[in-house]
Amino acid sequence: MAKTAKTRKAKSKSAASDDSDFVLHSLQEEYDKNRRFDASEEQMLAFYEQMLLIRRFEEKAGQLYGLGLIGGFCHLYIGQEAVAIGLQSALDNDKDSVITGYRDHGHMLAYGIDPKVIMAELTGRQAGISKGKGGSMHMFSTEHKFYGGHGIVGAQVALGGGLALAHKYNEDGGICLAYFGDGAANQGQVYETFNMAALWNLPIVFVVEDNQYAMGTATKRSSAETRFYRRGTAFRIPGMEVNGMDVLEVRQAAELAFKHVREGNGPVLMECNTYRYRGHSMSDPAKYRTREEVQEQRDHHDPIEGLKKTLIEKGKSEDDLKAIDKGIRATVSEAADFAENSPEPEASELYTDVLVEEY
């Protein structure tokens, strides 16, 4: 008994020593010194165009869904554009990999993938990026190191851990960017992946896109800890809390987080606080929140309008920005026409891409 007590005391002293030495070097303090990326006018215009493309594309997708041209589930990214653009604009597209959940159209567009093949996929056409068989939730582009588009809540996080392990094993210098939502943040596999990523010092940035309502339940009603960036603390993963409605703040956070990971310091957990203007999916009337709340977000926190204001302050004219919008609307209309006029997959396509034939 005395020996057991002595052993416990020794372990306790050791643990206390470890704890006193352990400081979670959060990137938050460094980020708070300067939260906005010092973008050139050219970069800001690119961010503006990319966010506007996502917005107009998703609006058109909503229309096509209403017309019955898009079937099944359809989760729109309207309101969250600054997250995908701010983060993915800082990636090395030759080395880095990305994986996300089923609200994935915006991420695909952020990569510069042709809107035509994305819209064709939404409408189930052969010309789609997954040959019309994946639909809204299951889009992939291994050419761009984009690994989906996953319908199982939280599953992409564990797969992202695998992608990060591959980067480390292959010594290719890449990192993995793994997105998930506030709803997925309560999944057990997320924390199993946190543990392994920290234990094996994997090059991964976990990004919580906190749009506040998961499928339809406010985070304060479903989560004991609503400050998601703190959830990596038990695994010694530094966290960052970011305004996901400002593309320049997101990009600045990406600069710090990606640098930290690339230097071999292990994973980072980033919480991007954002807001989706539409329901969880097109079939969700979103009655769990008021119209006034949504309008307040649109009026005072819209990521596109916020950057537009900055551009005007920098000397761009309203006419210049209207011309950009007009061009993007034309691009999206062209994508919709392409999708509507493309053939559906042949019946024989049911038998392809079922099994991997070579390893």
Side-chain angles (χ1 to χ4, degrees):
M1 181 73 72
K3 185 176 180 181
T4 303
K6 189 174 181 181
T7 303
R8 283 179 182 163
K9 187 176 181 182
K11 285 183 178 178
S12 177
K13 282 184 69 177
S14 173
S17 176
D18 285 346
D19 287 344
S20 65
D21 290 340
F22 168 53
V23 177
L24 185 61
H25 293 287
S26 173
L27 297 170
Q28 191 71 40
E29 187 175 335
E30 185 179 356
Y31 175 56
D32 286 340
K33 291 176 184 176
N34 179 23
R35 296 178 68 99
R36 297 196 95 199
F37 180 65
D38 185 17
S40 66
E41 183 178 313
E42 185 180 358
Q43 285 174 313
M44 283 193 285
L45 276 171
F47 296 159
Y48 181 76
E49 288 182 29
Q50 289 171 308
M51 288 195 296
L52 199 55
L53 174 61
I54 294 173
R55 177 72 57 90
R56 299 300 179 230
F57 183 96
E58 295 289 63
E59 288 171 349
K60 177 62 74 172
Q63 292 173 9
L64 295 184
Y65 187 94
L67 293 170
L69 293 168
I70 296 175
F73 291 102
C74 185
H75 305 83
L76 303 182
Y77 203 64
I78 297 174
Q80 299 182 212
E81 298 90 352
V83 178
I85 298 304
L87 290 171
Q88 288 174 229
S89 64
L91 289 174
D92 183 332
N93 292 335
D94 293 327
K95 297 189 294 188
D96 300 332
S97 59
V98 173
I99 193 165
T100 189
Y102 42 74
R103 198 181 303 278
D104 57 357
H105 319 157
H107 300 93
M108 297 286 284
L109 290 165
Y111 255 129
I113 296 171
D114 189 347
K116 291 179 182 177
V117 300
I118 302 174
M119 194 68 85
E121 186 60 39
L122 289 177
T123 53
R125 309 301 168 125
Q126 174 71 33
I129 199 160
S130 295
K131 299 180 183 176
K133 298 185 291 184
S136 171
M137 298 197 296
H138 304 108
M139 296 194 199
F140 297 80
S141 176
T142 53
E143 178 189 353
H144 292 83
K145 295 182 174 60
F146 182 86
Y147 294 94
H150 291 271
I152 304 299
V153 177
Q156 73 276 14
V157 180
L159 294 171
L163 290 169
L165 179 60
H167 285 304
K168 184 170 184 178
Y169 183 83
N170 293 324
E171 298 181 347
D172 60 15
I175 67 172
C176 176
L177 184 59
Y179 294 93
F180 58 106
D182 48 289
N186 293 322
Q187 288 285 320
Q189 60 192 316
V190 170
Y191 299 93
E192 293 177 8
T193 308
F194 283 1
N195 183 59
M196 287 188 286
L199 187 63
W200 297 339
N201 206 44
L202 299 183
I204 185 168
V205 178
F206 299 104
V207 179
V208 185
E209 291 193 85
D210 179 8
N211 61 28
Q212 303 181 40
Y213 285 100
M215 281 186 69
T217 303
T219 52
K220 63 184 178 182
R221 296 182 59 215
S222 61
S223 300
E225 172 57 277
T226 59
R227 310 288 289 279
F228 295 104
Y229 75 101
R230 299 197 294 211
R231 291 197 178 191
T233 306
F235 307 99
R236 304 190 176 204
I237 298 176
M240 302 179 73
E241 186 176 32
V242 180
N243 173 14
M245 300 299 274
D246 186 322
V247 69
L248 298 181
E249 291 195 34
V250 177
R251 175 58 188 266
Q252 181 68 3
E255 293 286 324
L256 296 175
F258 295 177
K259 179 175 183 289
H260 179 90
V261 175
R262 291 193 200 283
E263 290 176 347
N265 298 308
V268 170
L269 173 61
M270 184 187 297
E271 174 187 353
C272 290
N273 294 300
T274 184
Y275 196 88
R276 55 174 165 78
Y277 296 164
R278 302 288 183 92
H280 172 67
S281 69
M282 284 297 297
S283 59
D284 172 20
K287 292 182 178 179
Y288 40 81
R289 60 187 184 182
T290 65
R291 290 184 179 181
E292 290 75 19
E293 178 185 309
V294 178
Q295 194 60 48
E296 196 276 335
Q297 289 287 336
R298 283 184 176 273
D299 290 344
H300 302 291
H301 304 286
D302 186 82
I304 296 173
E305 289 300 316
L307 186 58
K308 180 180 178 180
K309 182 180 177 182
T310 301
L311 282 166
I312 289 173
E313 289 171 355
K314 295 283 185 181
K316 299 302 290 185
S317 71
E318 285 274 5
D319 288 341
D320 290 336
L321 300 180
K322 283 180 181 178
I324 290 172
D325 191 11
K326 183 178 179 181
I328 286 171
R329 288 178 186 273
T331 298
V332 170
S333 293
E334 188 179 341
D337 291 342
F338 172 81
E340 289 182 54
N341 293 311
S342 295
E344 294 183 355
E346 296 290 336
S348 59
E349 276 291 342
L350 287 169
Y351 302 98
T352 65
D353 305 320
V354 178
L355 297 174
V356 176
E357 296 177 359
E358 295 180 7
Y359 291 90

